[in-house]
Amino acid sequence: MKNWIKSYWSNCLSIAAIICSVVAICVSLPSAPELGIDYIGVIVGILSLLVTMLIGWQIYNAIIIEKKIKDEVKLIEKSFQKEIQAIKDESEISAKKILYKAEYIDLKFQLSKHNPTGIANCLRAMIENAIHINDPKLFSNVAEMVLLSKETINNMTITHPIKQIEVNDEFLNISLNILNLLPASNHLTPALLKMVNDTKKHNESIQKNIEKQ
């Protein structure tokens, strides 16, 4: 608002000065039909021309300064936006790390309860948080917990064959998801691939037994 008022009065004064300059030039011109050299008129004309040029220069400087100020304001706004976004990203990553640790603790609890559904839910949540954090170490950690969880479930007694197939299918999906995140050179990749193949064979064996019955 202040910049607009300054610009308004600056333009008004500039226009008034130009009008005064033009009037002065007109007054300085001789009114006689025969034109002659009048040194006073020449001086006044030169002064008027200089005043007009000075006013024009001031207007030009005012426009340039205003443009520079706007450019600086835009640069500052962009800088603030980048800093705010960086802080926001860091906050989100910190929150995801806390959630990852919470799911890790819950996974330990679900393993102690021998709860296949709870174990699978914790592993899926850990994978999701690890993807947001984007830390390769966390991917390896999740892969290690997947192998440990599957080993624990294998030692459980699941009497219903359909339930066993469902549990195996959940771990197949979880294993494939984490395999997509791990590099082929990771030391846990072969073990996960073996677990996937063994789980598929186990499902096929259960399905054959169901069909025989």
Side-chain angles (χ1 to χ4, degrees):
M1 186 66 182
K2 290 181 179 179
N3 291 332
W4 182 84
I5 293 172
K6 288 180 181 179
S7 178
Y8 174 78
W9 282 109
S10 176
N11 292 334
C12 290
L13 292 174
S14 299
I15 293 170
I18 292 171
I19 293 172
C20 292
S21 300
V22 173
V23 171
I25 292 172
C26 293
V27 170
S28 66
L29 292 174
S31 58
E34 294 181 0
L35 299 177
I37 298 176
D38 185 353
Y39 74 94
I40 294 177
V42 172
I43 292 172
V44 172
I46 292 172
L47 290 175
S48 300
L49 179 61
L50 291 174
V51 169
T52 303
M53 292 175 65
L54 180 61
I55 292 170
W57 177 252
Q58 288 178 343
I59 293 172
Y60 174 77
N61 281 337
I63 294 171
I64 294 299
I65 291 171
E66 185 177 0
K67 185 178 181 300
K68 287 183 178 179
I69 291 172
K70 287 181 179 179
D71 292 340
E72 287 293 330
V73 169
K74 287 181 180 179
L75 287 174
I76 292 171
E77 286 179 352
K78 288 181 179 179
S79 177
F80 280 153
Q81 288 175 356
K82 288 181 180 179
E83 290 179 2
I84 291 170
Q85 187 62 41
I87 293 170
K88 183 179 177 182
D89 292 342
E90 288 178 2
S91 300
E92 288 181 355
I93 290 174
S94 298
K96 293 296 181 182
K97 286 181 178 179
I98 293 171
L99 290 173
Y100 180 88
K101 290 180 180 179
E103 293 295 341
Y104 180 83
I105 294 170
D106 190 24
L107 175 63
K108 293 286 188 178
F109 177 67
Q110 298 298 333
L111 285 169
S112 66
K113 286 176 60 179
H114 297 282
N115 182 7
T117 302
I119 293 169
N121 290 336
C122 289
L123 289 172
R124 278 193 290 266
M126 288 175 67
I127 291 173
E128 182 181 349
N129 291 321
I131 290 172
H132 284 286
I133 299 168
N134 195 24
D135 186 351
K137 292 181 180 179
L138 293 183
F139 297 150
S140 292
N141 180 249
V142 175
E144 188 175 351
M145 295 311 298
V146 169
L147 292 169
L148 176 63
S149 300
K150 189 62 173 71
E151 184 180 350
T152 302
I153 289 175
N154 288 341
N155 294 327
M156 296 179 189
T157 302
I158 302 176
T159 56
H160 201 289
I162 301 298
K163 178 64 177 177
Q164 182 66 64
I165 291 176
E166 290 176 355
V167 171
N168 285 342
D169 285 339
E170 284 185 345
F171 268 85
L172 281 173
N173 291 330
I174 291 170
S175 301
L176 292 174
N177 287 337
I178 195 63
L179 278 170
N180 289 331
L181 299 171
L182 287 177
S185 58
N186 190 284
H187 66 285
L188 295 172
T189 299
L192 281 171
L193 289 172
K194 183 178 182 303
M195 190 194 79
V196 168
N197 291 330
D198 291 344
T199 304
K200 287 180 178 179
K201 289 178 181 179
H202 189 203
N203 273 355
E204 290 174 359
S205 175
I206 295 171
Q207 191 64 41
K208 287 179 180 178
N209 290 332
I210 293 173
E211 290 174 356
K212 287 180 181 179
Q213 296 175 359

